[in-house]
Each structure stands twice: as C-alpha cells, then as structure tokens.
Amino acid sequence: MNTAGNPGRGMDRRTLLRSVTGLAAAAGVASVVDLAAAGPASAYGWSRTLQQGASGADVAELQIRVGGWAAPSAQRVLIAWDGSFGPATEGAVKRFQAAYGLPADGVAGPQTHAALNALEASDGSTAHFNWTEFHSKDGAGFNSGKVGAAEVKENVRRLMYKLEALRKKAGGSSVTVNSGFRSIAHNAASGGASNSMHVYGVAGDIVVSGHSTLQTYRIAETCGFSGLEAYTHSWQHVDSRVQYPSYGSGSWWWESGTV
C-alpha cells in the first residue's frame, strides 16, 4: 500500500514535486519500443523540448509517462508508445500539465520534464508505487511468468505511470495494489485465467482509499486502460492489454461497458 506520505520513499522526490508545482504557480496502437531493451529510467535525461512532429525514444518515454492522461472523459482511447508525437500525445501532455499547475500548451519543455521526473523514484519505480507492491504473492518476485523478469519489470513500470495518473485524478488518495504480477503457479492457484494479463505484469487489482469500485472504474476509463473488470468486486482490475498484442489479448475489454 502506498500512502500520501509514502514513508521510506525519500523526501527529495516529494520536495522536487512541490517545488515544480510552486514554480508553475510563479490513437493508434503500436509497440515499437523493445520492452526488454527499454530498461527502467531514473532521472530521465530529457535533452530537448518535445512537441507535435517530434519523434524518437524520448517521445516514447514521454508517452509512457503521460499515458494515464489519455482522455478527458470516459473514452476507449490510449496513447501509443510509438515514439511519434501526434495530436493524441499533445492532448495527454496538456491534461498532465493542467493537473500539475503548468501552462497547458502541449509542449514538453523544462518545466514539464521536471514535473515528469518528480514522479520518478531513484530505483526506476514511481513516486507513489514500489516494485514490491507488484511482486507475485508466492515469493517469485517478477520471475516465472509468461515473459522474462526484465520484461515484466518494464511492463510494471508502464503500469505504474498510469496508476500515478489515476491516483492524481482521485485527489491523491492512496492506492492499494491487491494483486500485480503473478507467476504462472500463483495465477493458477488464484483461479486466474491461463492467459491473464497478470502473468505478464500489465495488470493490477487495486483499491483506492475513499473511493468505491464504481468511482475507481470511472476514473480508470480516462486513463488509457483497455482492460477493466466489472466494478461489482471489492477491487478494481485494470490492465493495458491492447498495447501488448503479442500477449494474445488485442481487444478492448471493459466488462461493465462505458459508465
């Protein structure tokens, strides 16, 4: 479980986030970036201002970090990790900027880069989520899934950034991850489907403090999640299945439809 204070995470990250906020106050589906090669980024070295028309690995990293700002309302849209800065990416950047008190111009310059990096922890995870929260509950860590541990870890990192957006939209309420990655054995013991998105590290079952599963579902509809289990459970399942067509589930699945 992460908390508002997030003990043990370190004050420097939270202090930076506050300073950035203070300074501000003064599509298509693609998976071009190789998951195994794109290791966890820490203090990402943004080297240029990014805007519509830009392309490259830094644009793909930007898309990962603003993917949870895919839509202003309940829409089956997502931000492709294709390294091409188009209108959808610009819209997500604008919504991210507005949420963090920055000029919402859709251009990712130094202030936006600083705000993005303030959500990043020194070990490559994010400000409000730890790697261990997503470890398989049988002690396997990120091992023994349907893809290698390095790929699982990168998938989890991408999931974390969407959950950071969901958390922000929920007013900063703490998010408990009941189930993240599952080893094949743990998934079977849990009664999960054999091709569950959990065995790839692209899914989470979450509870948002002070929010019903219905409220969480509604927020998740704006965060680029292509898999949403019905909100009738005591947790809300979210996943990004459409962005991983090689995993075998390339279709949108919002079990309760658009709410």
Side-chain angles (χ1 to χ4, degrees):
M1 176 193 236
N2 67 85
T3 62
N6 203 11
R9 174 58 76 189
M11 290 300 294
D12 55 332
R13 183 65 57 199
R14 299 194 303 277
T15 302
L16 178 56
L17 182 57
R18 287 194 295 268
S19 67
V20 168
T21 304
L23 179 61
V29 178
S31 187
V32 172
V33 180
D34 182 75
L35 292 178
S42 181
Y44 191 81
W46 307 100
S47 61
R48 58 176 177 153
T49 294
L50 301 175
Q51 56 191 323
Q52 271 212 64
S55 62
D58 51 357
V59 174
E61 183 62 30
L62 174 68
Q63 291 168 325
I64 290 168
R65 297 186 183 215
V66 302
W69 300 92
S73 59
Q75 297 175 38
R76 295 190 179 193
V77 298
L78 52 81
I79 304 303
W81 302 318
D82 60 2
S84 180
F85 198 130
T89 300
E90 182 183 64
V93 171
K94 285 181 177 179
R95 286 184 283 276
F96 173 86
Q97 291 169 327
Y100 285 91
L102 301 174
D105 57 8
V107 176
Q111 285 187 318
T112 300
H113 296 160
L116 290 166
N117 280 357
L119 287 174
E120 172 191 350
S122 60
D123 65 354
S125 60
T126 64
H128 300 102
F129 296 94
N130 295 296
W131 296 120
T132 55
E133 294 179 83
F134 296 85
H135 281 173
S136 184
K137 303 299 185 184
D138 62 350
F142 290 144
N143 297 297
S144 303
K146 289 205 170 183
V147 294
E151 188 166 336
V152 168
K153 190 172 185 179
E154 174 60 15
N155 292 345
V156 167
R157 184 178 79 92
R158 297 178 183 214
L159 174 61
M160 284 178 173
Y161 277 106
K162 287 189 178 182
L163 291 176
E164 286 284 358
L166 186 149
R167 184 184 188 279
K168 183 72 170 178
K169 295 174 188 181
S173 297
S174 63
V175 178
T176 299
V177 180
N178 285 346
S179 182
F181 167 70
R182 297 175 189 164
S183 70
I184 293 173
H186 178 57
N187 182 63
S190 302
S194 61
N195 203 41
S196 167
M197 292 295 103
H198 286 282
V199 298
Y200 301 98
V202 304
D205 294 344
I206 62 172
V207 174
V208 181
S209 178
H211 291 69
S212 66
T213 49
L214 172 58
Q215 291 170 321
T216 301
Y217 187 103
R218 284 173 168 160
I219 296 171
E221 288 178 304
T222 72
C223 296
F225 288 115
S226 46
L228 296 175
E229 192 172 9
Y231 57 78
T232 53
H233 305 285
S234 60
W235 68 87
Q236 180 60 57
H237 171 98
V238 297
D239 69 56
S240 300
R241 62 186 61 205
V242 168
Q243 290 178 277
Y244 299 88
S246 65
Y247 295 168
S249 295
S251 300
W252 287 76
W253 177 66
W254 285 7
E255 192 174 14
S256 293
T258 301
V259 180

